[in-house]
Amino acid sequence: MTAVETDGRFRDGLRAFLTEQHPGRRPKDPAERLAWQKKWLATLYDAGYAGPSWPREYGGMELSFARQVIYQEEYARARVPGPLGTGLGIAAPTLIKYGTPEQKERHLRPMLRGDSVWAQGYSEPDAGSDLPALRTTARREGAEYVVNGQKVWNSSADIADVLFTLVRTGPPESRQDGISYLLVDAHAPGVSVRPLRDLTGDAHFCEIFFDGVRVPVADRIGAENGGWPLVRTSLGHERAAGAMNQAALYRRVLDELIELAHERGATADPLVRDRLTDFEIRVRIMRLTGMRTIADIMAKGEPGPASSTSRLFIVAFEQELHEFAVELLGPYGVLGKRDPHAVQRGRWVWGFLRTRASTIGAGTAEIQRNTIAEQVLGLPRDPSMPTTGRTR
């Protein structure tokens, strides 16, 4: 049997599983929705369909390049829930590369199965793009660190069990040379989380406060003051993790946008057709770029600085796509999802508002351009940025 035939059988089996085991409609109640999503992730894991790129020894599938592409395409087509939190695509690669055997054994399988939800704690009110300026401190007392400070713009922190966070263990002026990478129990005394409401009217982000939080030294990943190289792994995978998934997602979203244009009688306009053609070209480029990213990770273990190219391309695309959708809606483009007259329950307007933040999250567009200029194109380095890597 040829590789194409066996890949076809894999696709058929995966599609059948996702169809037969589909968890149904997403509940509206937040607590019910969380339980629903956890149940689905456990179903995936128990059936051997979790972690397409993860090593088998940690519960993953360790798929070939071709099958990872198939997996992402079928997963997006099935419209089933994605991962909870931000641990799978960001913290897990860091833990696999730098964690101790005990840390890997304790954390990786529960994370993959959805039993433990992880959230990132990097950015601070005065340390976003200039992350080496972070001021959250971790003072060592024997076998523990005492953590004090604040983090902001944290996705899923309100449902997290573990916070993978960056802290200053060196003196204030040490910048990237005094940063450590800690795993903090999100339910520990002294940890408080407050949701932040955004333009959409929802709370997609949180801020986190650490007030004398005690963290075992055993929960530090890597060396003390050696967290900066780990940041590069985390953020590189953050930018790469969704590349193929986003390509599959926006293949579907663009098809739905084309349907919207037909419904509103706009496709007779050659300018509208030109815009839709441009989006079609970019969706195909997005897919090819996602495939290249997966290939780079499989060959080198890291996505490399080119992941910034993919990230910048995607965020610009999703902003422009939703801007165009709102233009198509005309006066209905001012109606939010709670308005009874909103088109398609206001999904395009909600997307327009949500994607205003796309060029900020996972590294601002300006930081991505710096990385591309210096590490991909080889242009002179920005002297204001750290010499060991780029982050937000």
Side-chain angles (χ1 to χ4, degrees):
M1 185 174 291
T2 67
V4 172
E5 289 172 327
T6 56
D7 287 346
R9 290 182 64 181
F10 172 76
R11 184 187 292 275
D12 291 343
L14 176 61
R15 180 176 294 186
F17 172 83
L18 295 174
T19 301
E20 294 164 6
Q21 301 297 324
H22 196 288
R25 292 181 65 86
R26 169 177 141 160
K28 292 184 178 180
D29 178 76
E32 292 179 6
R33 185 163 61 245
L34 178 60
W36 169 80
Q37 196 162 355
K38 283 191 171 188
K39 182 179 179 181
W40 168 248
L41 295 175
T43 299
L44 272 183
Y45 181 91
D46 294 344
Y49 278 117
S53 64
W54 278 43
R56 290 187 184 276
E57 63 183 302
Y58 305 126
M61 301 175 72
E62 205 168 329
L63 295 179
S64 66
F65 168 79
R67 292 193 180 185
Q68 285 191 48
V69 173
I70 291 170
Y71 185 98
Q72 297 296 351
E73 290 176 342
E74 290 301 315
Y75 204 93
R77 185 200 65 81
R79 301 195 188 196
V80 288
L84 277 167
T86 54
L88 288 181
I90 312 174
T94 304
L95 193 55
I96 289 171
K97 183 171 182 177
Y98 296 102
T100 66
E102 188 278 332
Q103 289 168 338
K104 295 175 186 179
E105 180 64 28
R106 180 155 56 104
H107 292 300
L108 287 173
R109 288 177 181 272
M111 186 197 305
L112 185 57
R113 194 175 185 273
D115 298 327
S116 178
V117 180
W118 289 44
Q120 183 189 81
Y122 284 8
S123 296
E124 298 183 3
D126 296 315
S129 295
D130 186 19
L131 190 54
L134 68 86
R135 295 190 294 185
T136 295
T137 60
R139 186 182 73 257
R140 188 161 179 174
E141 291 186 358
E144 293 181 319
Y145 289 105
V146 180
V147 180
N148 288 281
Q150 178 187 359
K151 300 293 181 177
V152 74
W153 308 124
N154 312 107
S155 303
S156 304
D158 54 330
I159 60 170
D161 302 298
V162 178
L163 305 169
F164 55 103
T165 192
L166 300 176
V167 295
R168 182 156 307 285
T169 45
E173 68 278 5
S174 58
R175 288 185 62 80
Q176 68 268 20
D177 296 323
I179 291 175
S180 295
Y181 194 113
L182 293 187
L183 305 183
V184 181
D185 179 354
H187 309 296
V191 177
S192 57
V193 177
R194 184 169 67 185
L196 294 171
R197 195 166 299 281
D198 60 29
L199 278 174
T200 67
D202 298 325
H204 296 284
F205 303 100
C206 304
E207 53 185 344
I208 305 168
F209 298 91
F210 300 113
D211 184 9
V213 180
R214 292 190 170 270
V215 180
V217 172
D219 287 340
R220 185 191 69 223
I221 308 298
E224 184 169 291
N225 296 328
W228 190 252
L230 280 65
V231 177
R232 296 180 64 189
T233 296
S234 290
L235 288 179
H237 279 271
E238 178 182 11
R239 293 161 188 163
M244 196 65 217
N245 184 268
Q246 288 289 89
L249 168 66
Y250 275 108
R251 169 70 277 163
R252 189 185 77 222
V253 171
L254 178 56
D255 289 343
E256 292 167 350
L257 179 61
I258 292 171
E259 289 179 12
L260 177 69
H262 278 297
E263 290 172 5
R264 304 196 69 77
T267 52
D269 186 335
L271 295 179
V272 169
R273 295 199 302 273
D274 283 348
R275 292 291 300 278
L276 293 174
T277 300
D278 176 59
F279 290 139
E280 176 66 34
I281 292 168
R282 285 198 269 174
V283 162
R284 297 188 186 194
I285 292 173
M286 198 184 300
R287 181 176 183 273
L288 294 173
T289 302
M291 293 170 66
R292 181 178 67 179
T293 300
I294 293 174
D296 284 346
I297 293 174
M298 294 187 70
K300 307 170 188 174
E302 294 285 349
S307 64
S308 289
T309 307
S310 173
R311 174 68 186 167
L312 184 61
F313 185 89
I314 290 172
V315 298
F317 171 83
E318 63 182 8
Q319 284 188 345
E320 291 181 31
L321 181 142
H322 283 95
E323 288 170 5
F324 178 71
V326 170
E327 290 174 11
L328 275 181
L329 293 177
Y332 289 92
V334 300
L335 302 181
K337 64 181 183 179
R338 294 177 178 83
D339 192 292
H341 302 292
V343 174
Q344 296 182 4
R345 299 183 180 179
R347 60 166 291 194
W348 299 105
V349 178
W350 183 90
F352 168 81
L353 295 173
R354 181 189 60 80
T355 56
R356 295 305 88 198
S358 295
T359 45
I360 300 173
T364 65
E366 291 76 15
I367 291 297
Q368 309 296 354
R369 290 188 178 98
N370 264 1
T371 301
I372 294 167
E374 297 169 23
Q375 298 186 37
V376 178
L377 301 178
L379 299 178
R381 187 181 70 82
D382 181 349
S384 68
M385 297 302 292
T387 58
T388 53
R390 300 288 176 270
T391 77
R392 67 189 197 184

